[in-house]
Amino acid sequence: MTPESVSQDVAEVGGSVRSSVHERAYRKLRTQLIEGQLTPGQTILAKDMAEAMAMSVTPVREAIQRLIGDGSLEPMPNGNARVRLFSETQLDEWWVLRTLLESLAVARAAERVDPPRLASIIAVNRQANTQLDAANVLEFGSLNRQFHFMCYALAGSPVLSNMIDSLWEKAGPYIVMAIPTYVRAHASGQPKQLMDPHDEILTALAQGDGSAAAMALRRDIGMTIKWKSLPVARLMQVAVAEVRAVRRDLRLIGPSSAELEEADSRPDIFQRSSSVVGSLSRTERRVTAQSKACRAIRDALIAGRFMPGEHITVRSLCEHLGLGAMPVREALREVASEGPLEKLENGRLRVRLFSEADRRDLLELRALLEAIAAGSAVQSARPSLVEKLVMLRDKMAKALIAGDSLRVRQASHAFVEVLCKGASLDLLTEVLGHVWLLTGPSVALFRHEMGPDLLVAWQEAVIAAMRKGEVQTVMRLVAARDAEEPLALPLTAA
């Protein structure tokens, strides 16, 4: 399975397949990013890309804008764009996010693997080993990527595959940079050490052992990092413990202490060059009628303005947003490609109805990422953040008094969003924003179980714990917030 076919599959599930040149330009650029054909910091000129793709400049320019919105490209002051440069912290976040999402994918794959598809993955792994022995960097990199995505496809979750695909899109150039070092380490006499995780993944899949598959996957990722250098990995361990306290059947599991120690004892294969690691200065995508419509649709989905299964029409959105049909229609296609909407046989769009397994995994991921971000925000300890939270608490209290349920949901989410973004973990909050988009309608169905008094008490408890610098208390409060059963929140901090 190639990155382009993955993107195509995801687009079909999202209901936004367009045979237009615009969609083809977007998919081609995404594929180049995922395959590492573009290097970190490389300037992307629409005219040059259009010539290489044998198409006009307009669809390429729009594709570049979409990729800026995706976080894979970043705008430059002169109006051009460049391949995103990651800071050291953002690279660390990327490894942790891969660990969470990809270990979950292989764990789910172990539950539904079938012999013919497993045989195909084994064959690809053998080809990868052959290319590794021959020190063929490009061929090995391509087959390694194919191996991973074939394993994730077995999970049967297009939404999960889409999120993993997005992570590889953002950091594809960095993955390719690591492969030559990986190949050289193999040539120096470490073949079994480096390839064992793939064999372990395959064995676990064949045995239907999801836990073993997830552990092997984490070991594979851990081959190229030193976990002790990642503070966010330690927060992940705490978050897993706190979320498990309210979700005893939690399937998202980060690396254990033993795994962290093992990974830290190995050499750091992933060499980071200062010439390609930089701090990201994000600039908002240029404001157009389409981008305005996209933002409004996303905000409405996150706030639970639309319920699962509810039909979405261009006409109703045009009336609500005060925009023309063309930008709204294009915005719907773009938002649908992110997964929250699905196309029916009659061509109409509706809010996606997730399978029970997908819904559960997404809500668990939401709770974990929120807890990690909140813990990091407490560690940052900025007084201005607490002041913002107090202001949002007061805003929600006014909405409660007015009896405006939509404003209450909006203010409630704004409180958590500001808290999580206070962590300054850019990549993690980007992924969390995607999860919020996917889960907003579902969360709106059960969040009413937290009554007005409890909701206010929860926010006050978070603020009190923030002022005291109580990292674990805030993480526990955030983890409990997304439980679907009646909540027994630890409100002693208030």
Side-chain angles (χ1 to χ4, degrees):
M1 180 178 294
T2 65
E4 185 166 355
S5 67
V6 170
S7 300
Q8 177 71 22
D9 291 343
V10 169
E12 289 175 356
V13 172
S16 67
V17 174
R18 288 184 284 173
S19 59
S20 70
V21 67
H22 293 78
E23 192 66 25
R24 292 201 303 275
Y26 175 70
R27 289 204 303 270
K28 284 183 178 181
L29 272 175
R30 283 190 86 248
T31 298
Q32 290 183 34
L33 286 164
I34 292 171
E35 293 184 346
Q37 296 177 27
L38 305 174
T39 58
Q42 179 179 337
T43 300
I44 306 298
L45 300 175
K47 182 179 179 181
D48 292 348
M49 285 292 175
E51 290 178 358
M53 295 179 185
M55 58 178 63
S56 64
V57 173
T58 299
V60 174
R61 187 175 291 118
E62 178 58 30
I64 290 171
Q65 287 299 315
R66 283 182 65 182
L67 288 166
I68 289 173
D70 291 347
S72 303
L73 302 179
E74 53 186 346
M76 298 171 67
N78 61 6
N80 293 325
R82 69 179 181 185
V83 177
R84 181 174 180 173
L85 285 172
F86 281 91
S87 67
E88 291 281 352
T89 300
Q90 289 163 341
L91 284 171
D92 292 347
E93 293 173 59
W94 180 77
W95 291 115
V96 169
L97 289 165
R98 278 195 65 193
T99 297
L100 284 174
L101 294 174
E102 296 178 34
S103 61
L104 173 61
V106 293
R108 283 188 58 171
E111 299 172 359
R112 59 194 312 277
V113 68
D114 62 88
R117 296 178 73 181
L118 182 59
S120 297
I121 300 174
I122 291 172
V124 168
N125 192 49
R126 287 172 179 162
Q127 293 175 41
N129 283 333
T130 299
Q131 297 301 327
L132 185 62
D133 289 337
N136 292 329
V137 174
L138 293 178
E139 291 81 358
F140 169 72
S142 177
L143 289 164
N144 176 66
R145 185 170 54 252
Q146 188 176 354
F147 170 86
H148 278 269
F149 278 101
M150 289 177 74
C151 288
Y152 307 148
L154 285 177
S157 173
V159 171
L160 186 56
S161 293
N162 187 13
M163 296 180 72
I164 295 170
D165 187 51
S166 178
L167 283 177
W168 282 61
E169 172 195 322
K170 289 179 173 67
Y174 287 93
I175 297 174
V176 171
M177 285 169 50
I179 288 176
T181 307
Y182 196 87
V183 172
R184 284 195 297 271
H186 174 85
S188 69
Q190 303 178 55
K192 291 194 72 63
Q193 274 191 323
L194 288 176
M195 291 310 297
D196 269 352
H198 281 198
D199 296 334
E200 291 170 8
I201 291 170
L202 292 171
T203 299
L205 290 177
Q207 296 173 349
D209 190 338
S211 295
M215 182 178 293
L217 189 283
R218 291 194 299 273
R219 199 162 89 82
D220 187 36
I221 294 175
M223 285 290 183
T224 54
I225 56 173
K226 282 186 168 294
W227 283 106
K228 280 186 180 177
S229 66
L230 310 185
V232 71
R234 299 297 178 182
L235 283 174
M236 178 170 62
Q237 286 186 303
V238 178
V240 167
E242 296 301 339
V243 174
R244 181 171 286 113
V246 293
R247 294 176 179 272
R248 293 181 178 83
D249 61 345
L250 179 68
R251 296 202 298 179
L252 278 165
I253 302 175
S256 65
S257 296
E259 289 178 73
L260 293 178
E261 295 289 343
E262 180 190 352
D264 198 54
S265 68
R266 292 190 292 267
D268 195 356
I269 294 175
F270 190 73
Q271 302 294 326
R272 303 173 186 183
S273 168
S274 59
S275 65
V276 293
V277 177
S279 59
L280 180 67
S281 177
R282 293 296 302 277
T283 303
E284 288 293 325
R285 177 180 174 178
R286 61 186 174 87
V287 177
T288 63
Q290 181 179 333
S291 65
K292 180 181 177 182
C294 282
R295 179 63 180 269
I297 294 169
R298 290 189 183 101
D299 288 347
L301 288 163
I302 289 171
R305 167 66 179 78
F306 304 112
M307 294 292 102
E310 183 174 345
H311 290 255
I312 307 293
T313 65
V314 173
R315 177 179 296 179
S316 63
L317 285 174
C318 287
E319 294 173 355
H320 176 69
L321 301 176
L323 294 172
M326 181 62 73
V328 170
R329 185 176 292 109
E330 292 300 311
L332 274 174
R333 286 172 173 162
E334 183 173 334
V335 173
S337 71
E338 298 173 46
L341 305 176
E342 57 188 350
K343 182 182 284 186
L344 303 176
E345 291 183 0
N346 60 9
R348 299 183 67 184
L349 287 173
R350 71 177 181 188
V351 178
R352 179 176 293 281
L353 290 170
F354 289 108
S355 69
E356 181 57 30
D358 274 340
R359 192 180 71 88
R360 181 185 66 187
D361 290 341
L362 283 168
L363 292 176
E364 287 180 357
L365 180 62
R366 175 180 173 133
L368 274 172
L369 295 181
E370 285 182 350
I372 293 170
S376 181
V378 180
Q379 292 177 338
S380 301
R382 294 200 302 270
S384 59
L385 175 59
V386 176
E387 293 173 5
K388 289 180 183 178
L389 295 177
V390 170
M391 180 185 67
L392 289 168
R393 178 204 60 191
D394 295 341
K395 184 176 181 180
M396 193 193 68
K398 292 179 181 179
L400 285 168
I401 293 172
D404 190 331
S405 59
L406 179 58
R407 281 177 55 206
V408 167
R409 290 198 298 270
Q410 291 172 332
S412 176
H413 174 75
F415 183 95
V416 176
E417 183 175 356
V418 168
L419 171 62
C420 291
K421 290 185 176 180
S424 297
L425 297 175
D426 296 328
L427 190 56
L428 187 145
T429 50
E430 284 175 29
V431 174
L432 184 51
H434 188 197
V435 174
W436 282 333
L437 178 65
L438 297 174
T439 57
S442 296
V443 169
L445 287 178
F446 64 78
R447 184 54 52 71
H448 68 277
E449 293 179 1
M450 185 186 284
D453 293 340
L454 187 57
L455 189 54
V456 171
W458 179 85
Q459 292 190 349
E460 290 177 346
V462 170
I463 292 170
M466 287 282 293
R467 284 173 169 154
K468 296 175 183 177
E470 296 175 346
V471 175
Q472 193 163 346
T473 299
V474 172
M475 294 178 76
R476 184 177 304 128
L477 286 161
V478 170
R481 172 180 176 269
D482 279 330
E484 294 188 54
E485 299 175 359
L487 302 177
L489 295 174
L491 299 180
T492 54

